[in-house]
Amino acid sequence: MSSKGKLILYTGASGVGKGTIMKQLLKKDPGLRLSVSATTREPRPGEVDGREYFFVTKDKFKKMIEDGGFLEYAEYCGNFYGTPQKAVEEMLSQGLNVILEIEVQGGVQVMKKCPDCTSIFIMPPSMETLESRLRGRNTEPEDVIAERLETAKNEVTYAKMYQHTVVNDDLDKAVEEVLDIIHSK
Ligand code: 5GP
């Protein structure tokens, strides 16, 4: 992918606080854009179609795969998630830095397709903190939390494939660290 802007791969286990960090990054960095993914998961309360995600049916998602519309896609806890390629390319060609907030399987695909990307993995201070954050969010039923926790244990093993790891034990510090990485040469 030829581009003027930087492609940033941003991954972390479910519940690690990467969404909270992301909100701050977007507020503080006017040259940064978040790629809006497509997903087959149901919207959570407060989520808006086209803002957090493009919420699509499984059939529509399959059609998007067939049309070659995804830079990467993966199945995560029973739902599909994918990065629409064209939107990312357009923003990069405008000189914007584009951040992909995606899980590990998609992350591996992006590293292969775009070896020049900057990769950042957000780590929890501990697995206990991660569990209490997942439960505290109160948005998912117990079986979903249990599944996400199991997935998270596997996810953190991918951290070593990323160029940078940032431990989220202090929000402001983590935000600054990620901004420094994005703006480093
Ligand atoms: P959630 O359901 O909590 O919004 O997202 C579940 C996981 O899917 C998170 O780790 C999130 O980063 C990841 N995700 C969101 N969009 C994409 C995408 O386009 N591709 C991939 N591979 N993962 C995604």
Side-chain angles (χ1 to χ4, degrees):
M1 213 189 289
S2 72
S3 66
K4 289 197 268 169
K6 262 190 200 174
L7 183 65
I8 296 133
L9 170 61
Y10 174 86
T11 300
S14 188
V16 77
K18 62 187 184 301
T20 314
I21 297 175
M22 177 64 76
K23 282 199 188 105
Q24 294 294 321
L25 296 175
L26 295 170
K27 247 193 219 165
K28 292 191 169 202
D29 185 349
L32 185 65
R33 294 289 181 282
L34 173 65
S35 153
V36 179
S37 300
T39 184
T40 61
R41 139 162 112 54
E42 289 296 315
R44 295 191 185 123
E47 286 185 333
V48 176
D49 186 40
R51 189 179 68 188
E52 278 79 12
Y53 285 106
F54 296 106
F55 295 99
V56 300
T57 60
K58 281 207 168 127
D59 283 345
K60 172 93 202 267
F61 199 96
K62 273 188 202 145
K63 177 84 176 48
M64 291 170 85
I65 297 174
E66 285 162 15
D67 293 345
F70 288 124
L71 171 60
E72 63 71 41
Y73 68 91
E75 188 176 359
Y76 179 89
C77 295
N79 292 304
F80 288 92
Y81 297 81
T83 303
Q85 176 148 350
K86 213 166 148 233
V88 172
E89 279 173 353
E90 277 171 12
M91 291 187 282
L92 288 173
S93 69
Q94 290 165 24
L96 293 160
N97 293 334
V98 180
I99 190 159
L100 310 180
E101 181 184 333
I102 66 177
E103 52 69 68
V104 293
Q105 305 165 70
V108 173
Q109 296 171 46
V110 172
M111 286 180 208
K112 279 200 188 126
K113 268 196 183 172
C114 314
D116 292 338
C117 73
T118 300
S119 56
I120 306 172
F121 197 95
I122 309 296
M123 287 289 276
S126 69
M127 287 319 277
E128 289 75 27
T129 329
L130 191 75
E131 180 165 2
S132 65
R133 281 190 194 157
L134 266 177
R135 292 189 188 287
R137 188 152 80 184
N138 252 335
T139 49
E140 269 94 15
E142 179 57 36
D143 57 333
V144 174
I145 292 174
E147 188 184 10
R148 284 190 175 232
L149 202 58
E150 270 314 300
T151 307
K153 284 182 190 157
N154 173 46
E155 281 170 329
V156 294
T157 66
Y158 282 75
K160 56 183 177 300
M161 296 178 70
Y162 286 67
Q163 292 161 332
H164 306 273
T165 48
V166 171
V167 178
N168 183 22
D169 50 5
D170 176 283
L171 176 63
D172 293 339
K173 220 175 108 226
V175 170
E176 287 312 314
E177 266 183 62
V178 175
L179 285 174
D180 283 350
I181 294 167
I182 293 174
H183 297 137
S184 65
K185 288 277 165 215

